[in-house]
Amino acid sequence: MWALVAGIAHLIAPTFGPGFYPMWYFALSAVAFGLMLPAIASLHVRHALVRQSGAILGTITGVSVVTLGSVASSTTGVVPAAFLVSGMWWWTIGKMWAETRALPRAFGWLTMALAIVCFALLGAYAYTGGVVMAVPDLPLRMVLGLWLIVLAGLLWRDAR
């Protein structure tokens, strides 16, 4: 349930934008990132059953996404670091799902593809000498929101 609420908050927050209604944007961003923590904890338990090292790395990078994503919503200089840990998180858990079926393999491959996008954006940032990262940040937050909604559905399906 918390992943669903976090996903919806990630979809709604960018509609307000930091310059349009900053208080709503920052409050929804805090909710969106903060409510990812229960889903990360649930994933840790699921991952620990199939691969200890992946479970630990997945949890550490997932919590880093929450922390850096929260900060990046107000400080654009942190966005490249947020892309790096998002890519690491999505690659780690996506690879684990594709290899172990802890979640559907297709969702694992999709998650790994999102990781590659994050790494490519980080590479573009480094190559161009600091292209404005706020531009790709908002669409990727929307993708994160949709990804969390799908994750919520998969976790709910397995819980029944």
Side-chain angles (χ1 to χ4, degrees):
M1 181 176 104
W2 297 118
L4 176 64
V5 175
I8 292 169
H10 272 293
L11 291 176
I12 295 172
T15 62
F16 290 100
F20 192 50
Y21 286 105
M23 298 310 285
W24 281 100
Y25 174 76
F26 296 125
L28 284 168
S29 293
V31 167
F33 282 107
L35 290 182
M36 288 173 60
L37 291 171
I40 293 167
S42 294
L43 289 174
H44 178 81
V45 172
R46 181 179 296 243
H47 295 157
L49 297 173
V50 295
R51 187 171 293 152
Q52 291 289 322
S53 61
I56 291 169
L57 183 58
T59 301
I60 290 169
T61 55
V63 171
S64 296
V65 168
V66 169
T67 304
L68 288 174
S70 296
V71 174
S73 67
S74 63
T75 308
T76 57
V78 181
V79 172
F83 281 167
L84 175 67
V85 296
S86 294
M88 288 180 66
W89 182 47
W90 276 341
W91 185 264
T92 300
I93 62 178
K95 183 176 181 281
M96 193 170 354
W97 299 342
E99 292 175 349
T100 67
R101 295 186 183 192
L103 280 173
R105 283 187 172 181
F107 193 56
W109 287 106
L110 172 71
T111 301
M112 289 170 62
L114 292 172
I116 292 169
V117 169
C118 287
F119 294 142
L121 286 170
L122 183 62
Y125 175 80
Y127 181 74
T128 61
V131 68
V132 178
M133 295 307 283
V135 174
D137 181 47
L138 290 178
L140 280 175
R141 286 219 25 217
M142 304 285 280
V143 169
L144 175 60
L146 293 171
W147 181 88
L148 284 165
I149 291 168
V150 172
L151 177 66
L154 292 172
L155 294 174
W156 180 76
R157 178 199 70 183
D158 289 351
R160 297 184 323 146

